[in-house]
Amino acid sequence: MAVSGALLSQCPLLLPQNREGTAYEGFVTAQGRDFHIRILLPLDFQLKNARIECSWHLKKILHGYRHILKQRLHRCPDLVTFMAELKTVLEIGLKNTRDPHIPRPPEYYSCLVRDIEILGWNKVTYVDTGLTTIKLKAEDSCGRQHLITLKLNAKYPTEPPVCLVDFPVHFTVSWTPQSSLLDIYNQFLAALESLKEFWDAMDEIDGKTWVLQPENPTRSATERRIAIGNNVSVNIEVDPQHPSMLPECYFLGADHVVNPLRTKLNNNMHLWDPEISLLQNLKDLLDIDFPSRAVLEKSDFAKDCGICYAYRLNGATPDQVCDEPRCGQPFHQACLYEWLQGLPSSRQSFNVIFGECPYCNKVRKVKESK
C-alpha cells in the first residue's frame, strides 16, 4: 500500500518506513507545534488492530481522549481519515491543557537564574527541567530541616510563585515586582522561627512519650494521641500560635479509668504554667508519668481491635474500650458500630447505637463513625 497524496497533504511529516506501507513514523502538527508519532498497521491494514506509539508529551495531552481515539480507530475507513480526526482531537486537547512546557520569555530564565545565584545554589535541592518548580532547603535555629517548594508561572517576577510548605499555619509571602527568591527565603526563615516553640513542644512529646497517632507526624500536624496506659490515651490538639497554652484534651478509654483523669484536668487547670514545657504541664495537671519510650515498647499500648483483629483500619487505631474493668477490650469505632448493628438485641437512637460488648456482654453505646 503506497502512501497516498491525501496522507501527504494531511500529514506531510508522517512518512512510510517500509515498502509494505504498514509502518509510518514522523510528526503530526497542531497549533504550529510538531509531535512525534509512530503508527504500525497489521498486514490486512485494519485500523482497529493498529498500534500507535507517541512521545510522552503527546500521550499526556491525549490522555483524556483515549476512548474517543480508540473508537475512531475502529470506525475510520482509512489512515488519512483517522489522522484528520487525530489532529482535530489534538487541537482540542491543546486548547484545554495548560502546558507547562511552553517556552517562557528569555527574561524569565535570565531573571530566575540570577535570583538563584544571589540566593546560592547550595540552598537548592531540586529544579525541574523546565525551571518552573524549585525546592529550597533551610535549617531552623534548632537544626531541624525544612523544605519550601516554589511553583513559578511565566509572569515571574511580576507575580509571586506559589509556595508550598509543611506548616501548621497558612504561609503567605509579601511580594512586589522587585522581589526575588532571596526575599521569599528570608520570609521562610522568619516563619520557621515563629513556629520554633510549637515544634519544640511537639518534638518533646514525640521523643519522650509513645504517640499512637499519627504514626509518622508531619511538621503541620497539630494533634497527638499519647499513650497513658493499657487501652488508655489522651488526644491533644496544640495551638501552633500559642503552644504554651493548655491544649484541647480528649481522653480515650474505659470510663472508670478516664473519668478520674478528666476530673484531675478540670481541678488542676489553674496550675498550668506557660513558663514550663507542654509535656511537663500535662504530667503535673494529670499527676501521672507518661510511659517512657526508653522502658516500654509501643506494642504494650498498641492493642489490636477485638473484632477485626487489626491495629489499623483505614488509618484509624482502636479508640473504643469496654467499660467493664475485667474486660477492657479495645475496638475500632467503625467495627464496634457495625457489630452492634448486627445484634437483634441492640437498639438505636439517631446515630447512637446501644448493645452488648462482644466479649463480656456489658451494654455500651457507640456513635456512628464518620
Side-chain angles (χ1 to χ4, degrees):
M1 176 178 141
V3 63
S4 67
L7 184 59
L8 277 173
S9 176
Q10 186 70 246
C11 299
L13 299 179
L14 185 64
L15 302 175
Q17 301 298 301
N18 58 15
R19 291 185 178 182
E20 293 80 14
T22 57
Y24 291 84
E25 187 169 3
F27 298 88
V28 57
T29 304
Q31 293 190 5
R33 299 166 61 189
D34 298 328
F35 300 92
H36 183 261
I37 191 169
R38 188 167 181 245
I39 300 173
L40 301 175
L41 299 172
L43 293 175
D44 59 5
F45 302 111
Q46 292 293 312
L47 283 180
K48 64 180 181 180
N49 297 318
R51 197 171 85 200
I52 299 176
E53 299 173 354
C54 57
S55 65
W56 174 86
H57 193 196
L58 179 57
K59 188 181 295 184
K60 184 178 179 182
I61 296 170
L62 297 176
H63 179 75
Y65 305 91
R66 288 177 301 173
H67 64 290
I68 296 176
L69 293 175
K70 188 174 182 180
Q71 183 186 71
R72 300 321 299 156
L73 272 175
H74 278 75
R75 296 187 179 179
C76 284
D78 51 49
L79 185 57
V80 177
T81 307
F82 172 74
M83 291 307 298
E85 298 203 15
L86 173 63
K87 289 178 69 173
T88 301
V89 172
L90 181 54
E91 292 277 354
I92 296 171
L94 285 170
K95 289 178 181 178
N96 295 333
T97 302
R98 284 190 62 192
D99 187 5
H101 298 285
I102 295 175
R104 302 184 177 206
E107 53 269 24
Y108 167 88
Y109 296 103
S110 59
C111 179
L112 181 57
V113 171
R114 182 199 66 210
D115 283 358
I116 294 177
E117 288 178 345
I118 293 173
L119 175 65
W121 285 96
N122 61 319
K123 296 181 176 67
V124 178
T125 62
Y126 170 83
V127 181
D128 70 341
T129 55
L131 289 182
T132 59
T133 301
I134 300 173
K135 293 185 180 182
L136 307 176
K137 63 180 179 180
E139 188 176 283
D140 63 27
S141 58
C142 291
R144 289 180 285 250
Q145 299 291 323
H146 303 270
L147 287 176
I148 179 170
T149 300
L150 309 178
K151 294 187 175 292
L152 301 93
N153 63 37
K155 294 184 179 180
Y156 177 87
T158 304
E159 294 182 3
V162 174
C163 301
L164 306 174
V165 293
D166 188 12
F167 281 4
V169 295
H170 188 59
F171 176 68
T172 56
V173 296
S174 176
W175 186 266
T176 68
Q178 291 73 42
S179 298
S180 67
L181 295 185
L182 182 60
D183 296 306
I184 291 180
Y185 193 77
N186 288 334
Q187 292 176 57
F188 181 53
L189 290 176
L192 293 180
E193 290 312 301
S194 71
L195 291 166
K196 174 185 177 301
E197 190 178 348
F198 167 74
W199 284 323
D200 285 345
M202 304 310 267
D203 283 354
E204 183 182 21
I205 291 171
D206 293 337
K208 294 183 178 179
T209 70
W210 278 115
V211 174
L212 303 179
Q213 275 186 296
E215 197 167 25
N216 297 298
T218 62
R219 287 294 175 195
S220 60
T222 59
E223 292 189 47
R224 296 292 190 274
R225 182 179 166 196
I226 309 170
I228 295 177
N230 192 13
N231 298 330
V232 185
S233 59
V234 60
N235 195 85
I236 65 168
E237 183 168 3
V238 182
D239 184 343
Q241 295 177 318
H242 304 94
S244 62
M245 305 303 291
L246 176 65
E248 290 188 30
C249 298
Y250 174 71
F251 293 96
L252 298 102
D255 287 345
H256 71 277
V257 178
V258 302
N259 284 342
L261 292 171
R262 291 194 190 103
T263 301
K264 285 182 182 179
L265 180 66
N266 292 331
N267 292 342
N268 295 333
M269 278 185 182
H270 66 283
L271 298 176
W272 188 272
D273 183 359
E275 297 301 317
I276 63 176
S277 76
L278 188 152
L279 181 60
Q280 188 59 51
N281 267 309
L282 287 174
K283 290 180 180 179
D284 293 345
L285 266 63
L286 298 176
D287 191 25
I288 61 171
D289 277 322
F290 288 98
S292 169
R293 296 176 68 93
V295 177
L296 297 169
E297 297 294 328
K298 190 173 183 178
S299 57
D300 294 323
F301 314 104
K303 302 298 183 183
D304 293 344
C305 170
I307 294 174
C308 72
Y309 304 111
Y311 182 61
R312 293 199 175 275
L313 178 67
N314 298 325
T317 58
D319 57 0
Q320 302 288 313
V321 179
C322 180
D323 293 334
E324 170 57 50
R326 290 170 296 181
C327 179
Q329 180 66 47
F331 308 99
H332 294 114
Q333 184 177 1
C335 292
L336 186 58
Y337 186 86
E338 186 177 342
W339 172 276
L340 296 181
Q341 270 192 318
L343 294 180
S345 58
S346 295
R347 60 185 178 86
Q348 188 162 355
S349 175
F350 298 103
N351 65 335
V352 179
I353 193 165
F354 299 82
E356 295 179 348
C357 169
Y359 283 74
C360 69
N361 298 328
K362 178 181 175 66
V363 175
R364 56 166 298 121
K365 66 178 181 179
V366 62
K367 289 185 177 180
E368 182 179 8
S369 59
K370 297 180 180 179

